[in-house]
Amino acid sequence: VGREHVLSAPDELLGFNTDWTGRFVGNAAAVVRPASTEEVAGVIAACVRNGWPVTAQGGNTGLVGGGITRAGGVVLSTRRIDDVRVDSAAGQVIAGAGATLGSVHERAQQTGLSYAVDLASRDSATIGGTIATNAGGLRVLRRGDTRAQVVGIEAVLGDGSVISHLGGLARDNTGYHLPSLLCGSEGTLAVVTRARLRLSNQLAARAVALFALESAKSAADAALHLRREPAVEAVELMLRLGLALVCEATGLPAPFPGQHAAYLLVEVSAGEDPLLALEPIVEGLAAIDVAVAADPAGQRRLWAYRERHTEAINTLGPPHKLDVTLPLDAFAHFVDTVPGVVEGTRPQARVWLFGHAAEGSVHVNISGLDPDDEAADDAVMTYVAALGGSISAEHGIGRAKVRWLSLNRSEAEIAAFGRLKQALDPAGILNPGVLLGQRI
Ligand code: 2HG
Ligand code: ZN
């Protein structure tokens, strides 16, 4: 890859050995930065020969410790593979693994199209990372997660062999769908180097409204009604303390004269006038207060209250990040009761709830605990599983959730995971300890 693309000085390694939250610190001996699929294959072959673990890393914004290594070896940074080419005839984009989500959005928009997956970390998160973690984000309700967008993939398997299927044919039914397998595989089966992604038409005109509501439970209930409104694209939940913390940490002005127990941010799109599409929603919600934005700058200002939760919470020290989905009929009850579950286990903890309420999904962030004290995490995870929910809605398992995987996955499923791992990464060098833990 060229000597200048191998980093090994301690200060150069620091950012690659620490996850975005600061909770997970790794011990890679070097960072290797290949610029092409061929170079990735060469790096992996060299690592197989030497028995060095390889941890693929994109923007390092995954939040569950999946991009850092505790087994030494190398971090393989994909960031130099950052080409983006739109195939407008097919309505698809071909992007290198290291291209940021933001750069894919920009290129798609220049051709009158849009890429469905969007996240607050869009300017750091990479296409390879979003595929490896099957990232969800803000538009899952109508447009699906990353897996729903991937048409073709190029990747290097754990034995150094390259698989490439990037033709992008509209109909192509020729066996195992490897993009589906690699989406969410968290760098344990292959290193994704390039992908062909589905683009959609640009969203119709949009409007965003921020509603102030009287309780977390009533906001969660309302979100589940809103998901059935055809114009609604996104419904995001925030609570009083979280929004106040965002304002304090970022300097954003408070959205309303007073503070309120809960907030819903609702985005609608409509062919004609999105404000008209908002009207029945405003009437139906009977909120305490509402702020509406029809212009893009105003919409960005309202979204910022929601998107900046992650950075605001990190100002309090590394949080424990839980990211769960509940069956829709258990969601409001969960939102109402989960703070009590945490406080009952660790009274000193502070709980922050926010997230993708239309899908019954919420981020439970807990601050004020030692990084290794997982008693509150355990109580929440057990509670989620007992209610029939998922212990990881969109961030994946990484290192942070390994011990709870069996709450959601049967022994037979985990054994099948192990056989896939053995087949595609026979030397066991790809991201050891992540997703499957030490089981394999
Ligand atoms: C979001 O929805 C991300 O903003 C991050 O998934 C969530 O910081 C978190 O816990
Ligand atoms: Zn999220």
Side-chain angles (χ1 to χ4, degrees), residues 260-282:
H260 304 282
Y263 304 90
L264 282 182
L265 181 143
V266 180
E267 182 171 290
V268 296
S269 76
E272 309 255 297
D273 183 356
L275 288 176
L276 271 183
L278 258 184
E279 264 175 25
I281 292 171
V282 173

Side-chain angles (χ1 to χ4, degrees), residues 63 306 310 321 354 356 363 365 394-395:
L63 305 176
R306 164 61 187 80
T310 303
K321 285 197 171 283
F354 58 100
H356 317 294
H363 297 299
N365 280 208
E394 58 170 349
H395 296 168

Side-chain angles (χ1 to χ4, degrees), residues 250-315:
T250 65
L252 289 177
F256 301 115
Q259 293 193 0
H260 304 282
Y263 304 90
L264 282 182
L265 181 143
V266 180
E267 182 171 290
V268 296
S269 76
E272 309 255 297
D273 183 356
L275 288 176
L276 271 183
L278 258 184
E279 264 175 25
I281 292 171
V282 173
E283 273 164 32
L285 272 181
I288 304 166
D289 210 342
V290 58
V292 172
D295 61 305
Q299 290 171 16
R300 276 195 297 275
R301 273 198 296 278
L302 291 182
W303 267 108
Y305 294 116
R306 164 61 187 80
E307 291 196 340
R308 299 190 74 177
H309 267 65
T310 303
E311 65 179 278
I313 292 166
N314 242 58
T315 62

Side-chain angles (χ1 to χ4, degrees), residues 365-411:
N365 280 208
I366 309 174
S367 51
L369 296 179
D370 286 346
D372 295 334
D373 176 2
E374 294 193 318
D377 309 47
D378 190 50
V380 174
M381 298 301 215
T382 310
Y383 187 44
V384 167
L387 291 170
S390 168
I391 60 142
S392 178
E394 58 170 349
H395 296 168
I397 299 299
R399 293 177 182 285
K401 317 285 164 69
V402 168
R403 60 180 278 207
W404 295 288
L405 182 62
S406 55
L407 286 176
N408 278 163
R409 295 300 200 146
S410 67
E411 248 179 64

